[in-house]
Every structure is written in C-alpha cells, then in structure tokens.
Amino acid sequence: MSSQATADTALSSSLQEEENAYFSSNPPPKALAQHSAAAQAFITEHAASGRRVVLVTSGGTTVPLEKQTVRFIDNFSAGTRGATSAEYFLESGYAVIFLHRQFSLLPYSRHYSHSTDCFLDFMSEDAASGSVVVNPLHQQKMQRVLRKYKAARDQNMLLMLPFVTITDYLHELRAITRLMQPLGPQGLLYLAAAVSDFFVPPERMAEHKIQSTDARLIVDLDPVPKFLKNLVDGWAPEGMIVSFKLETDPEILVHKAKYSLGRYQHHLVIGNLLTTRKWEVVFVAPGMEDNWIRVPIARRKKTATGVESLVGASDRSAAPVPVPPENKPMDPSSLPDGEPEIEIESLIIPAVQELHDRHVREVKARKS
C-alpha cells in the first residue's frame, strides 16, 4: 500500500471514530424518526419520476448551555439565503427538502412573516361585506406568491423539516443525506445554514437554569467536529455538495473558500461577505476560475410605499456607480441605501444548476 493510500485510510478511520463518538454522546432529536420517514417517502416519490432533489439547509443553530434549556448561544442568521434559494430551486424544477431552524424564514411566507410592517397592514376590511381582504396595494404580489406556494404544496415539491440545536441539525443532516444516496448525482446538497463552530458537550452542560446570582459565567466550549468530509466520502458520495463561507474580512474570503474546498474535496464553495452578501457572492470550484456573481449595484429597491411599479424609480436618474474589479470584492461604502432590486439568489441558483448539470454528466460518464 502506498504512503498516500495509508494516509487516506488513517484519515477515514479517524473521521469515522470522531463521527461515532459525537453521535453516540449527543442524543438525536425526538422527531428524527418522523422526519426521516417523511424524507424517505418524499425522496422515493421524486426519484421514481426522475426529478432532481435538493436538500437546502437554512437558518442558524443554537448551542444550549443547559439541559433544560433557558439560555443558549445563537447567531444572526434569519434563514434569508436558504428560504429565498428554496423558492428559486422550485422554479427550476427541483423537489426541495427544506431543513430549517424553527421559526426562521420559510419559502413564500418569508415575504410577509418578517416584514417591518405588521402582517395586519397587508389586510383590510371590506366596508360592504365586512370580509377580511388583501390590501389593494399588496394584492398583485400576494396573489403571485400564494399561487407559487400552493403549486409547490399541491404537487408535493416542498418538504419542510425543522431543527433547533446544532446537535439536532447534525443528526437530521446525516439521516437525510444518507436517504438521498439512491438519487446518485441527481441529489444536490445546498448547505446554507449558519452552523455553529462550538458546542457544550452534554456531560458539561448544566441540568437546570444557570443562576444570575453567580458572579461570573464562564462557558467552556468544544469545537463542533467538521463532518463535511464524512458527508463527501460516506453520507452522500455521488451527490453534488455546495457549502457556504461567510467572512467579514475581504482579504481572506477567497483564501478561506479555497482552503475549505481543498480540505473537504466537495464541489462548490459559495463565499460571501457579511456587508455585501445581498449584492455579490464568489463561486470557488475545482478546476475553475473564481466566478463573482453580482447584482448591478445601481439597482436599489424602493420599499417605502410597497408599490411594485415604483421599484427602482429613485435610481433611474442616478449617476452610475463604479464597477469593482472582477476578482475583488465590492467596497461596501459604494453600495446605495436599501436592498437590491433583484434577489441575488435569482442569479445564484441558475449558476448552481449549471454546475449540477455538469456534475451529473461527469458521474454518468465515469460509470459508462
């Protein structure tokens, strides 16, 4: 056996031991069996019809500090990237398993559930009948969103499964990706969830609520094992795997994305910066030049009135904004106020689908 083969075998054995240790000492969520059964039925149905299935993970993961959890560590993620991406995957013909943080944004309802306006502002009362109706200002968009949601639901194209903690997430991820193995290259893993890097092992977790009378709170965290390599090699060996890398320092973004790609040997890392994540991302993939995907920065959404015909109206006479170099991130100070007129996920998903098409062809060619 060559030295490289010996090293690979040793690494595989080490990863398997780490996996076994983590999952045996961190109990699964109570709903895992139910979720697995639902995912199995969903995957079987769409595999039989030859449809591609994507697992979209979304939202943040909590790190409980107590077994009877009152306090926990969290991150800022509301699940915007995942929920929005799921909608565009559905429009592209994928069946979507949406593994999401409980109470984070959901496909379709996201347009209203986390609005800065109260949801009651989207409705009004008909003076003649007393019936509750949609506010005329929002009727066109709400009808369009409703039709898309009902189509996805009625055709059984969307399965939504919640999680809460980092341990819940990892158990669910392992179970579902293993169920996706029969899909082969038709399966796509789009790992957009903001996964915690640290956790409190059960044996060091307080049983009851930590008391505020304590003078200081010192939290002893362990690193969460990196299971992406396990996923690549064992959980989903033929599916295409997409991960995300979020950074705040533009100087290290591409470097960290390439490091992740080299370490885990998967198919695509989508890098983004906290300050510009709604305007640009960079695709880092094996054997390809870095590909920056950008929303034109002169396209700003005017949202104050909610009238769709006015979207972008404030920018039509604006001076052009300088375009950044192709291989460099945008300068956040160059961005206009407000959000982009188009969602960057409408550009990301077609680009991911193109790479998935190539992945399917390559796997089939290897087998022929």
Side-chain angles (χ1 to χ4, degrees):
M1 181 180 292
S2 69
S3 58
Q4 182 60 53
T6 302
D8 291 343
T9 300
L11 175 61
S12 177
S13 176
S14 174
L15 291 173
Q16 188 61 55
E17 289 177 6
E18 190 173 42
E19 177 183 334
N20 293 339
Y22 180 86
F23 286 106
S24 63
S25 60
N26 290 273
K30 293 179 179 179
L32 182 61
Q34 178 186 349
H35 289 177
S36 295
Q40 179 69 80
F42 187 84
I43 292 164
T44 299
E45 175 185 337
H46 293 294
S49 65
R51 181 175 287 113
R52 294 183 183 182
V53 178
V54 58
L55 170 63
V56 176
T57 69
S58 184
T61 56
T62 66
V63 178
L65 300 182
E66 305 129 341
K67 292 180 180 178
Q68 300 185 54
T69 307
V70 175
R71 295 183 173 88
F72 55 85
I73 300 171
D74 203 355
N75 61 40
F76 79 99
S77 176
T80 304
R81 179 80 79 204
T84 308
S85 296
E87 290 184 24
Y88 288 106
F89 273 119
L90 286 162
E91 290 187 13
S92 297
Y94 284 78
V96 176
I97 301 174
F98 188 67
L99 182 61
H100 65 96
R101 161 76 175 276
Q102 188 178 47
F103 306 128
S104 64
L105 288 171
L106 299 176
Y108 304 114
S109 67
R110 71 181 175 91
H111 295 274
Y112 305 99
S113 60
H114 280 51
S115 171
T116 53
D117 299 320
C118 172
F119 81 97
L120 295 172
D121 291 330
F122 296 110
M123 298 181 286
S124 59
E125 185 177 355
D126 182 75
S129 66
S131 301
V132 175
V133 296
V134 176
N135 186 318
L137 287 175
H138 304 283
Q139 193 162 26
Q140 183 180 9
K141 179 181 178 182
M142 190 171 286
Q143 182 185 58
R144 186 169 67 249
V145 171
L146 177 62
R147 286 175 175 172
K148 290 180 179 180
Y149 166 71
K150 290 188 69 176
R153 183 194 63 188
D154 295 346
Q155 296 169 28
N156 194 30
M157 293 288 285
L158 176 62
L159 175 65
M160 295 192 284
L161 303 174
F163 64 84
V164 178
T165 70
I166 176 62
T167 299
D168 294 348
Y169 170 79
L170 291 172
H171 274 284
E172 298 270 3
L173 178 65
R174 183 174 70 159
I176 296 169
T177 53
R178 285 175 167 177
L179 293 173
M180 291 177 68
Q181 287 185 8
L183 292 165
Q186 295 283 98
L188 173 61
L189 309 180
Y190 186 85
L191 308 178
V195 181
S196 173
D197 291 318
F198 301 94
F199 79 113
V200 180
E203 64 271 16
R204 296 209 304 271
M205 197 180 296
E207 177 66 33
H208 299 287
K209 176 188 172 185
I210 299 170
Q211 296 301 304
S212 59
T213 52
D214 295 342
R216 298 175 65 190
L217 175 61
I218 299 175
V219 181
D220 184 14
L221 301 171
D222 281 3
V224 173
K226 300 295 186 182
F227 289 122
L228 189 52
K229 185 63 175 171
N230 303 57
L231 194 155
V232 172
D233 291 343
W235 302 358
E238 287 190 344
M240 178 175 166
I241 300 170
V242 180
S243 72
F244 281 77
K245 176 62 67 175
L246 175 73
E247 295 292 342
T248 59
D249 183 352
E251 298 300 322
I252 66 171
L253 175 64
V254 173
H255 169 75
K256 293 295 290 289
K258 289 183 176 179
Y259 174 79
S260 178
L261 193 72
R263 181 178 183 184
Y264 302 115
Q265 300 294 301
H266 55 303
H267 306 98
L268 174 65
V269 178
I270 301 180
N272 55 149
L273 291 167
L274 179 65
T275 52
T276 59
R277 66 192 185 281
K278 294 184 179 182
W279 294 89
E280 68 174 358
V281 299
V282 59
F283 278 26
V284 178
M288 295 179 58
E289 293 186 1
D290 303 340
N291 179 25
W292 289 88
I293 295 176
R294 293 187 169 106
V295 174
I297 55 181
R299 299 185 68 178
R300 178 175 64 85
K301 181 181 291 186
K302 181 177 176 65
T303 58
T305 64
V307 180
E308 292 199 3
S309 62
L310 295 181
V311 170
S314 62
D315 293 312
R316 288 170 189 154
S317 60
V321 182
V323 177
E326 289 187 3
N327 60 343
K328 294 290 183 181
M330 289 178 171
D331 179 357
S333 66
S334 72
L335 295 175
D337 294 334
E339 296 190 352
E341 181 178 336
I342 62 172
E343 294 172 318
I344 192 170
E345 290 79 10
S346 68
L347 307 177
I348 293 173
I349 302 311
V352 170
Q353 184 178 7
E354 184 177 336
L355 293 177
H356 192 198
D357 291 342
R358 188 180 74 171
H359 174 75
V360 171
R361 291 193 301 268
E362 290 176 349
V363 172
K364 289 182 176 178
R366 289 199 299 267
K367 290 183 172 182
S368 62

